[in-house]
Amino acid sequence: MGSQTEPQSPSDRRVSVYGQAKSDRPGLEKEAGFISVLIILIITLLAYMGVEGLFLVQSRGQYIKEEEDRMKCIYLAEGGLEWAKASLSTNPEWSGGTMSYPDDEVKLSVKKNEEDYLVISEVESGLARRKIQVTLQKREGNIEITRYEELHNQ
């Protein structure tokens, strides 16, 4: 009579190298390989974006610190000029000095000319530097700035 096919036992199935049953669909292993490569690419892309984000945050933090140092230098140098004006109004022979702060220092030098004073205020904070030179003149009992100049690269 006709040959009947007997049901296969679990031991008759094809087994892959890894001990898993092989599929009867021939392209399934290729699809699984493609999906694995796709997952690796996505993980790599996410890791790259994370590293780029970290560098962006660090560079912005550095920029903010540098800007803070520049602004601090401006205000400290201007404060030094006000200190010079106040000191010269009480002591016309004052020749300058140094104001110290926890992280910074303001250096003032004063040169007396015939009619006015040449004052240089220097500050260094972090990588920022500021050097301002002014000419002060006493008029009607008040000391006024007659010339203001920021000195760069000196």
Side-chain angles (χ1 to χ4, degrees):
M1 320 211 155
S3 69
Q4 291 183 335
T5 57
E6 295 180 19
Q8 293 182 345
S9 68
S11 61
D12 291 342
R13 286 192 285 169
R14 295 183 303 178
V15 178
S16 72
V17 178
Y18 300 108
Q20 297 173 342
K22 286 188 175 182
S23 171
D24 291 334
R25 291 178 45 199
L28 190 60
E29 284 127 7
K30 289 181 182 177
E31 287 178 19
F34 175 74
I35 290 173
S36 297
V37 169
L38 185 63
I39 289 172
I40 290 172
L41 285 175
I42 290 172
I43 289 172
T44 303
L45 178 67
L46 290 174
Y48 175 75
M49 289 171 57
V51 169
E52 283 296 313
L54 179 65
F55 285 132
L56 180 65
V57 168
Q58 285 179 339
S59 66
R60 291 237 173 134
Q62 181 65 28
Y63 173 77
I64 289 170
K65 174 70 174 124
E66 289 171 4
E67 185 64 25
E68 178 184 309
D69 288 345
R70 280 192 290 272
M71 294 302 294
K72 190 174 5 172
C73 279
I74 291 170
Y75 290 123
L76 288 173
E78 294 283 340
L81 295 177
E82 292 300 318
W83 177 41
K85 284 170 58 177
S87 297
L88 288 170
S89 67
T90 58
N91 179 8
E93 299 302 318
W94 188 70
S95 63
T98 302
M99 282 192 300
S100 295
Y101 296 95
D103 297 328
D104 307 302
E105 192 173 77
V106 180
K107 296 176 187 172
L108 286 170
S109 62
V110 178
K111 294 180 185 173
K112 184 173 176 21
N113 297 329
E114 291 177 18
E115 298 178 5
D116 53 18
Y117 299 94
L118 181 66
V119 179
I120 298 175
S121 178
E122 293 183 71
V123 180
E124 194 169 324
S125 179
L127 297 176
R129 295 183 63 185
R130 183 69 61 183
K131 189 173 185 180
I132 299 174
Q133 176 178 308
V134 297
T135 303
L136 300 176
Q137 196 169 45
K138 195 165 194 170
R139 292 184 184 162
E140 299 175 9
N142 294 324
I143 294 187
E144 299 176 358
I145 296 175
T146 57
R147 195 180 100 226
Y148 180 101
E149 182 179 0
E150 288 194 27
L151 305 175
H152 300 282
N153 300 325
Q154 294 185 7

